[in-house]
Amino acid sequence: MNDKPAFTLSRRGALVGGAAAAAAGAVPIDAGAAPAQPAPPAVPVRFTVNGKARALELDPRVTLLDALREHLELTGSKKGCDHGQCGACTVMVEGKRINSCLTLAVMHDGDDITTIEGLGRPGDLHPMQAAFVKHDGFQCGYCTPGQIMSSIAVLEEIKDGVPSYVTADVAGKPALTGEELRERMSGNICRCAAYSNIIAAIADVAGAKDVA
Amino acid sequence: MKFETPAGTNPIDQRRVIGKPTPRIDGPLKVTGTAPYAFERNDVAPGHAYGVIVGSAVAKGRIARIDTADAERAPGVIAIVTRENAGKLGKAKAHTATMLAGPMVEHYDQAVAIVVAETFEQARDAAKRVRVDYARAKGRYNLAAAKAGAPIAPGDKMKTAVGDFARAFAAAPVTVDATYTTPDQSHTMMEPHATIAAWDGDTVTLWTSNQMIAWAVRDMSETLLIPKEKIRVVSPYIGGGFGGKLWVRSDAVMAALAARAAKRPVKVALARQQVMNNTTHRPATIQRIRLGADKTGKITAIAHQTWSGDLPGGGPETAANQTQLLYAGANRLTETRLAVLDLPEANAMRAPGEAPGMMALEVAMDELAEKLGMDPVRLRVINDTQVDPEKPERPFSDRNLVRCLEEGAQRFGWSRRNPTPGTVRDGRWLVGMGMAAAFRNNMNMKSGARVGVDRKGVVTVATDMTDIGTGSYTIIAQTAAEMMGVPLDKVIVLLGDSRFPASAGSGGQWGGNSSTAGVYAACVDLRRRIAQKLGFDPDRATFADGKVSDGGRSVDLAKAAGDEGISGEDTIEFGRLNDDYAQATFGAHFVEAGVDAHTGEIRVRRMAGVYDAGRILNPVSARSQVIGGMSMGIGAALMEDAVVDPRFGYFVNHDLAEYHVPVHLDVPHQEVVFLDTLDDKTSPMKAKGVGELGLCGAAAAVANAVYNACGVRIRDYPLTLDKVLKGMARV
């Protein structure tokens, strides 16, 4: 069992095989052995979420996403990767979409934030939410709040003339095409792959008939 | 209710609600972010703490010691659980590796500890302070190296033979003999595995994300060594599964242990990076296919041998499944072999068997068509079979593959395809068309439900069935509405709770047909009870427009239920019809792909298909299931590849930036057509599964389109541009 590794262990091996210390503790932990370290001081932060002023005292490591989900119990914004790779946590900050997992809550003092809960409720849906239901633009529903936040932002970005990777003439006005929508939505992964239906929903809201 | 003879006419055939395009009833909750997923159930777990799992840093070996002193002193830490203080644990029969390592480590990122703290940030920080010394052992991580000498896998139909394959293959004037490889793949559902566990005395409740509630209770019982009655599992909303949540994983087991130690509810979610190495994956395969045909294209010899690997005691990827059933041919051979590998546990991912099997078989068919100089659609048509080719006395229950092929070809404009590769150009793009058959077995599973009507005439269905995005809520509501004669908005569906009758659960594309059949059975029981209560003839009573009628008499359903309400319950059980008949689902995929003549970049330009899966209960959600499968096929063809580090035995690209799945720009608009068929041998619903069919064959259709576009035949998935470019240099 104590086979020698095939080659010298790298830094990663050294890290995992670190120095020995005291024996494993009992559970729950007995505070008697060594004094616990103090928690880092909380940082006050104030921002507006869905039109409501919120004040929090947060561990500076708390992401904006976790502030919303764990501290304000606005769980509509989802954690799919916590690394800005999937888009499920997309929210609007100061009118622009961002991955809320990639930014710390304390960086947003004074900001105006909109989450999926700020759009509409069952029985009183935002047009984009209604279009997602109509076109079945989701399946498991986990990426859906992020897809909807991005969908709304994408139409704004096209309207504002913001170019994308597929815009042929970056100095001109981007057209509302299927390719533009798909490229701009590509930061929002849907593993159920309702993509074809999501594009139909966005096109419907935008009043674009021949987008395919 | 026992389903033992083909279904006759029943209330489902009225199709007032069933079969109508119906928006999902859970839609408004999901688009507003108010459908609560497991980690979000703060309402049920006041005062909860957070748990973070520490995974093994080696793939194989023994834990020499675990030093938790620093972690214990870290701010906010409440408890740390390792194998040393977890108490006695069992291993569920359904698990290949244990959910908590110690002293032996069976795979990389296997849980070795959980750290519980007041906040997520504190738990994550303290988890990094747990030091583990390992005595590392040599592991086996390379399938190609482990292939030699791998035995036939345990299980049914792992080796089948009919006629004399070797002789027929040697005598065939046209042959293909090719080996294909498919990589390890990850389910990569959007919601990482998550659980909140809370103990009340000796009873534990798990709010979790799981496809199979009854299995979850069973496996938790076998792991925690407590009776099933002491375990409640709740999972009404699930952020995707694809097979990765068929069995409880370490989040559930470790949350339960952590909550017991902390004496508080504990929330645990796997980090995205843990999903790939801590949980299961679809294993890589090596597949050798030999096809022999006469000059008219009739297959005379067909062999499919497949190899995959798993941990000791694990199971194979049954990639030869479809080859036992899809095409005719008198001389046949299949072999499914299993090597031992020390990678994380290999297990079911969407359409286990057929998904990778069709990636190989349907490219081999394309190669055979080319050698014959025959159209690939035609080749499949002339090799159709209406009986199980290994057992000709066993007919298919209902099989319309030829219609799918011909209708699909016509709709897609297949006749415009130039069979000579590399001849169609659109600017810098080389453009080609490819196709493949779709095939996936149909399985039926015992499924129960309880249905009640209250004094307002509202029908409530309760079953432990799950909706993993499949649309279960809606098709169950449609079934109850049809059976009880009420509009859809008078139906409430409660799912995913082990307090409800045990259902088929979500897996193997059996959930839709089986769970609605269970609701049908419960509704038949409820209708009988209501009729008896009213003094009606149960066989004659009709349920429509919120009324129960018999002869000249008619009573409001609400009134019939009365103040106390009335309920029925039953379980559908399936007899021999799945043995006496081969039951399967069919289709034809068509793809147009572009290959950049300079860079080898591949784009799927058009994708469409025609599918045959019996009664389509809800065309809206069925279409979404199929396009989801087709898109996963694009991923399998072009990008998905969990790369093994052969030194350390783990999947290197363990996040969504490195393990690529299709994004919006990878997927064109997709056309889906369902044949209007009924299969009376499957259930009273006359439906079949549709959740996996769209994936089976889709990747091969992409690969065949790429070949037609640029003339490069790639037999090693995924078709990345380095492989295209290497081939283009030769073309």
Side-chain angles (χ1 to χ4, degrees), chain A residues 91-161:
Chain A
V91 302
M92 307 287 188
V93 173
E94 295 291 296
K96 299 261 186 275
R97 57 174 169 157
I98 65 166
N99 288 325
S100 61
C101 75
L102 276 189
T103 187
L104 297 171
V106 294
M107 295 158 66
H108 294 282
D109 199 59
D111 279 354
D112 186 36
I113 297 157
T114 305
T115 71
I116 190 75
E117 291 92 344
L119 295 186
R121 330 205 109 261
D124 180 25
L125 299 178
H126 181 282
M128 191 64 81
Q129 292 170 318
F132 267 64
V133 175
K134 178 180 161 194
H135 293 277
D136 212 37
F138 61 94
Q139 293 202 60
C140 80
Y142 200 75
C143 74
T144 311
Q147 299 279 354
I148 290 172
M149 299 309 284
S150 264
S151 298
I152 293 167
V154 158
L155 292 181
E156 288 295 314
E157 288 160 19
I158 292 176
K159 208 165 82 189
D160 291 347

Side-chain angles (χ1 to χ4, degrees), chain B residues 597-668:
Chain B
H598 308 290
T599 67
E601 179 189 351
I602 299 168
R603 308 297 306 173
V604 175
R605 294 156 60 110
R606 289 198 299 137
M607 192 170 205
V610 176
Y611 304 92
D612 170 30
R615 191 197 299 282
I616 299 302
L617 303 172
N618 180 2
V620 172
S621 54
R623 174 181 190 278
S624 292
Q625 282 286 288
V626 171
I627 66 170
M630 291 159 81
S631 304
M632 200 174 266
I634 294 177
L638 302 183
M639 60 196 87
E640 292 188 38
D641 183 0
V643 179
V644 176
D645 182 327
R647 306 162 303 170
F648 291 101
Y650 76 116
F651 298 118
V652 183
N653 49 342
H654 50 196
D655 64 25
L656 291 170
E658 306 284 338
Y659 182 83
H660 291 175
V661 299
V663 298
H664 277 275
L665 197 57
D666 296 315
V667 181

Side-chain angles (χ1 to χ4, degrees), chain B residues 10-17 20 482-483 527 543-544:
Chain B
N10 67 46
I12 295 298
D13 293 310
Q14 298 169 109
R15 295 191 302 157
R16 292 171 303 199
V17 193
K20 295 267 187 296
E482 191 77 77
M483 290 298 291
R527 286 165 59 117
F543 290 70

Side-chain angles (χ1 to χ4, degrees), chain B residues 401-660:
Chain B
L401 174 63
V402 171
R403 269 182 70 193
C404 295
L405 290 163
E406 291 177 342
E407 196 170 326
Q410 198 259 328
R411 284 172 176 272
F412 195 72
W414 180 253
S415 60
R416 295 199 302 274
R417 171 180 179 265
N418 186 331
T420 309
T423 49
V424 178
R425 189 103 185 206
D426 174 14
R428 66 192 171 107
W429 297 99
L430 295 162
V431 181
M433 287 191 208
M435 59 79 54
F439 177 92
R440 171 69 171 146
N441 239 328
N442 181 67
M443 291 177 270
N444 306 310
M445 297 275 274
K446 183 176 163 181
S447 196
R450 190 158 57 234
V451 184
V453 190
D454 69 9
R455 63 189 162 85
K456 290 180 176 164
V458 172
V459 175
T460 300
V461 185
T463 165
D464 85 358
M465 181 59 191
T466 51
D467 188 330
I468 62 173
T470 38
S472 311
Y473 276 106
T474 310
I475 57 173
I476 285 171
Q478 288 173 276
T479 303
E482 191 77 77
M483 290 298 291
M484 302 313 298
V486 298
L488 204 60
D489 62 5
K490 288 274 193 197
V491 181
I492 294 168
V493 179
L494 303 173
L495 299 183
D497 189 326
S498 58
R499 290 180 173 174
F500 303 151
S503 74
S506 301
Q509 80 169 10
W510 63 61
N513 179 46
S514 301
S515 71
T516 52
V519 174
Y520 169 92
C523 287
V524 168
D525 182 54
L526 177 57
R527 286 165 59 117
R528 186 180 52 78
R529 286 169 191 271
I530 292 171
Q532 281 170 350
K533 185 178 173 189
L534 297 173
F536 289 1
D537 179 347
D539 295 329
R540 244 181 15 222
T542 57
F543 290 70
D545 306 320
K547 291 184 172 53
V548 194
S549 309
D550 178 17
R553 291 176 62 203
S554 188
V555 178
D556 276 351
L557 190 61
K559 198 164 270 178
D563 280 346
E564 68 283 9
I566 185 164
S567 71
E569 181 174 338
D570 202 359
T571 294
I572 188 106
E573 293 180 72
F574 296 91
R576 287 191 45 82
L577 287 173
N578 219 336
D579 303 320
D580 296 342
Y581 295 88
Q583 296 187 10
T585 58
F586 308 90
H589 296 284
F590 292 86
V591 168
E592 179 183 296
V595 179
D596 189 300
H598 308 290
T599 67
E601 179 189 351
I602 299 168
R603 308 297 306 173
V604 175
R605 294 156 60 110
R606 289 198 299 137
M607 192 170 205
V610 176
Y611 304 92
D612 170 30
R615 191 197 299 282
I616 299 302
L617 303 172
N618 180 2
V620 172
S621 54
R623 174 181 190 278
S624 292
Q625 282 286 288
V626 171
I627 66 170
M630 291 159 81
S631 304
M632 200 174 266
I634 294 177
L638 302 183
M639 60 196 87
E640 292 188 38
D641 183 0
V643 179
V644 176
D645 182 327
R647 306 162 303 170
F648 291 101
Y650 76 116
F651 298 118
V652 183
N653 49 342
H654 50 196
D655 64 25
L656 291 170
E658 306 284 338
Y659 182 83
H660 291 175

